[in-house]
Amino acid sequence: GTAVGSLLYIYSVAVAGAARAVILTSTSPLMVVPLSMIFLGERPTARVGLGTLLCLAGTLVVVAGG
C-alpha cells in the first residue's frame, strides 16, 4: 500500500531529481481522474474539474519558470 508508494517516490526523487519528481506528483490529478472514472465508476464534478485545472496551471507556472 502506502509503504510501497512512498518507497517508489523516494526512489524517483533519487533517480530523477526533486524538480522532476515534484512535477510528476503535481500532475497526479490528471492521471487519477480518468482512472477513477474507468475503474471506480466515479463521475467528475465541477469542483474536481476546477481543482484539476488549477493543478495543471500551477505545474505550468513552475515549469515555465514563473
Side-chain angles (χ1 to χ4, degrees), residues 4-50:
V4 174
S6 295
L7 288 173
L8 289 173
Y9 180 73
I10 292 169
Y11 178 74
S12 71
V13 171
V15 172
R20 289 185 179 150
V22 167
I23 291 171
L24 289 175
T25 300
S26 64
T27 59
S28 66
L30 297 174
M31 297 174 251
V32 170
V33 169
L35 291 175
S36 69
M37 291 169 59
I38 293 168
F39 293 109
L40 301 176
E42 293 187 8
R43 293 183 180 168
T45 62
R47 186 177 276 180
V48 170
L50 178 62

Side-chain angles (χ1 to χ4, degrees), residues 26-27 30 49-66:
S26 64
T27 59
L30 297 174
L50 178 62
T52 302
L53 289 175
L54 287 172
C55 289
L56 178 60
T59 302
L60 291 175
V61 167
V62 171
V63 170

